[in-house]
Structures are given as C-alpha cells and as structure tokens.
Amino acid sequence: QVHLVESGGGLVQAGGSLRLSCAVSGSDYSIIAMDWYRQAPGNQREWVARITTDGRTTVADSAKDRFTISRDNAKNTVFLQMDSLKPEDTAVYYCASLSRDRTSKYWGQGTQVTVSS
C-alpha cells in the first residue's frame, strides 16, 4: 500500500513560482513512475509531468520550459517546480503513481494552486 500527500500549493501572482511536494509512504514494486496531474474547474484532468524510477523526466507541452519534475529518494518525495506561472495554471494538482500495467493506482488528495493576473 502506498500513501501520497501533496503540499506546497497556494496563491501566487502571474510570473511567480511555487514548488509542490508529494510525500510517498509505503511501497509497491509495480510502480514505474510518478506523475503530476492537474484539474481546473469544469475541465478534465490533465497530465503535467512524469519521472520514472530511473530518473527520466517528461513534461507536457503546456508546461515545458516552465515546470520541472524531480525527486529526492532519501526523502521519498517528488517535486514539481513551477516557474513563470500563468493564470491558466490555476488548478488542483495531484500526484499519482504509474504501475507496470499503466494504471494510476495511488493518488494524493490534491493541492490547490491559484495564479492571479
């Protein structure tokens, strides 16, 4: 069983930065990557970034060159550094696991990010 807890959200002005954290407890050897998603009111959930267990990263085109995903294995924490934030980045951000069968078995409760113009 794995438990995910996000933190670091808040209110920031456009152009500002936030760093989200996802604390991971427990273990599941089927997990091959950790993802960040976001969901704005009235919108579908959108994938934002991924980091694999061997450290490879990918970021959605909408966030490329502004968002960086990383992890601290010693602290069992995954981070999402968000720079040059825009009002359209406003959403609830979730971290989730990705398993070998391509399912997202574990999800955090989400953290709200609000970017004011």
Side-chain angles (χ1 to χ4, degrees):
Q1 187 73 15
V2 172
H3 190 50
L4 307 178
V5 179
E6 302 97 334
S7 60
L11 174 63
V12 64
Q13 289 188 331
S17 298
L18 283 174
R19 189 174 81 155
L20 306 183
S21 299
C22 174
V24 182
S25 59
S27 62
D28 185 329
Y29 293 106
S30 71
I31 294 174
I32 61 171
M34 293 297 297
D35 291 320
W36 283 98
Y37 288 84
R38 65 186 180 186
Q39 187 167 21
N43 289 3
Q44 290 188 335
R45 188 172 293 173
E46 175 190 13
W47 173 80
V48 176
R50 172 173 293 162
I51 186 164
T52 66
T53 51
D54 59 359
R56 287 174 292 145
T57 62
T58 50
V59 179
D61 287 344
S62 60
K64 199 162 289 184
D65 299 326
R66 298 188 301 121
F67 291 8
T68 304
I69 187 170
S70 63
R71 68 184 185 194
D72 184 331
N73 289 333
K75 296 182 179 180
N76 291 325
T77 302
V78 178
F79 302 102
L80 185 68
Q81 177 67 41
M82 305 187 296
D83 299 318
S84 302
L85 282 162
K86 305 175 182 179
E88 51 264 43
D89 295 318
T90 294
V92 178
Y93 284 71
Y94 301 88
C95 64
S97 63
L98 179 70
S99 296
R100 288 194 187 92
D101 62 2
R102 314 305 290 184
T103 60
S104 297
K105 185 175 181 181
Y106 305 106
W107 289 83
Q109 83 289 349
T111 186
Q112 176 71 47
V113 171
T114 303
V115 185
S116 62
S117 57

